[in-house]
């Protein structure tokens, strides 16, 4: 069986997720970090005015100022001094894969939204631990409830219908 190419998998991201991963790669390089991590990617999404991720944060009443501080702290813990980006971290690859599984099989969508990424991360133990390592605020996100009520929680998001 042939492997699924990264190009094919990342091609399933909607424009919000794809632009954010491009921005995360530039941001990672500017910071001198060797690998693009989930924290780089989600940091880029949070720079937007609105997204599925913003709707989920609001729904679960995550503290925006605590999140901002935690993201800064998580970014500051990453190794620095790389002259170029070596690769995406395996967590980023796995997050897209898990997001695609939920987008396509659970929500019958043809593209992966940032909310699908969060569902996939929250429902995958190792990825959930990575997210909580960025900010303990994410412990407030209940994986089952998020998955079951996804459309209600993200309703009105600019990612709908992209």
């Amino acid at each position: 069986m042939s492997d699924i190419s990264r190009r094919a998998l990342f091609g399933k991201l909607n424009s919000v997720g794809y632009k954010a991963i491009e921005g995360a790669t530039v941001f990672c390089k500017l910071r001198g970090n060797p690998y693009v991590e989930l924290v780089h990617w989600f940091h880029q999404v949070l720079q937007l005015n609105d997204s599925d991720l913003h709707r989920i944060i609001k729904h679960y009443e995550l503290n925006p100022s605590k999140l901002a501080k935690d993201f800064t702290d998580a970014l500051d813990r990453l190794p620095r001094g790389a002259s170029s980006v070596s690769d995406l971290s395996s967590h980023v690859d796995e997050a897209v894969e898990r997001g695609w599984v939920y987008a396509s099989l659970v929500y019958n969508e043809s593209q992966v939204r940032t909310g699908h990424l969060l569902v996939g991360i929250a429902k995958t133990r190792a990825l959930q631990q990575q997210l909580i390592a960025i900010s303990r605020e994410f412990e407030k996100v209940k994986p089952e409830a998020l998955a079951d009520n996804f459309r209600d929680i993200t309703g009105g998001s600019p990612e709908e219908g992209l």
Side-chain angles (χ1 to χ4, degrees), residues 110-126:
S110 61
Q111 290 194 306
V112 180
R113 297 164 51 165
T114 62
H116 298 142
L117 293 169
L118 197 59
V119 170
I121 289 168
K123 302 260 300 164
T124 306
R125 188 87 179 119

Side-chain angles (χ1 to χ4, degrees), residues 39-148:
V39 67
H40 293 110
W41 196 6
F42 278 46
H43 179 270
Q44 293 300 301
V45 175
L46 289 174
Q47 302 310 302
L48 303 171
N49 290 327
D50 194 7
S51 69
D52 286 357
L53 181 59
H54 287 86
R55 303 283 170 130
I56 293 165
I57 287 169
K58 185 176 180 180
H59 177 82
Y60 285 101
E61 300 179 352
L62 277 61
N63 181 329
S65 59
K66 178 87 171 97
L67 274 177
K69 181 187 181 321
D70 290 347
F71 267 75
T72 299
D73 292 347
L75 286 163
D76 288 345
R77 288 191 301 268
L78 295 174
R80 295 184 84 143
S83 58
S84 64
V85 175
S86 299
D87 202 355
L88 302 175
S89 87
S90 61
H91 300 123
V92 170
D93 284 330
E94 189 177 1
V96 176
E97 190 175 309
R98 300 301 301 155
W100 171 240
V101 167
Y102 281 92
S104 61
L105 299 179
V106 176
Y107 303 112
N108 201 27
E109 299 274 347
S110 61
Q111 290 194 306
V112 180
R113 297 164 51 165
T114 62
H116 298 142
L117 293 169
L118 197 59
V119 170
I121 289 168
K123 302 260 300 164
T124 306
R125 188 87 179 119
L127 290 175
Q128 182 187 42
Q129 290 171 340
Q130 288 296 312
L131 193 62
I132 291 169
I134 295 169
S135 177
R136 299 205 55 157
E137 283 293 295
F138 286 110
E139 289 178 322
K140 296 176 184 175
V141 176
K142 304 301 176 212
E144 292 301 323
L146 174 59
D148 292 345

